[in-house]
Amino acid sequence: MIIKSCYVENFGALHQQTFDLKDGLNIFIEENGWGKSTLAAFIKNMLFGMEYSTKRKEMNDRVHYMPWNGAGYGGSIIFEAMGKEYRAERTFGKKDTEDTFT
């Protein structure tokens, strides 16, 4: 699978950002706190969905990356697999039943 690009509507510290990836290795060299780990978590959650836990004390991705301003969060990712291009769009809610996937 090759990730071609992704658009982050809102996810943690990332807001309305587009990342176009080139063939081969893509390296992000940025300051601490820029959002490199957040971008990696975004890609993982876009492809596999986000876990939901009813345990209040547990800090999971759903709680950790929820925007503080209360806006919806999610985005889209374009990837190639077995010679075909796909676009996945997800929005995440407070619970997994509020998530959407296209």
Side-chain angles (χ1 to χ4, degrees), residues 45-99:
N45 287 304
M46 287 299 294
L47 293 172
F48 303 106
M50 193 178 288
E51 290 184 40
Y52 175 70
S53 173
T54 56
K55 296 179 182 177
R56 288 195 172 280
K57 294 181 181 178
E58 185 176 314
M59 176 63 91
N60 56 31
D61 283 357
R62 189 172 299 276
V63 174
H64 185 77
Y65 295 110
M66 185 178 293
W68 287 11
N69 63 7
Y73 62 127
S76 62
I77 188 166
I78 297 173
F79 62 95
E80 182 180 316
M82 298 174 61
K84 292 185 180 181
E85 192 170 283
Y86 299 92
R87 177 186 172 97
E89 295 181 20
R90 281 191 195 268
T91 59
F92 303 104
K94 291 182 181 180
K95 301 177 187 176
D96 58 346
T97 56
E98 298 172 356
D99 293 356

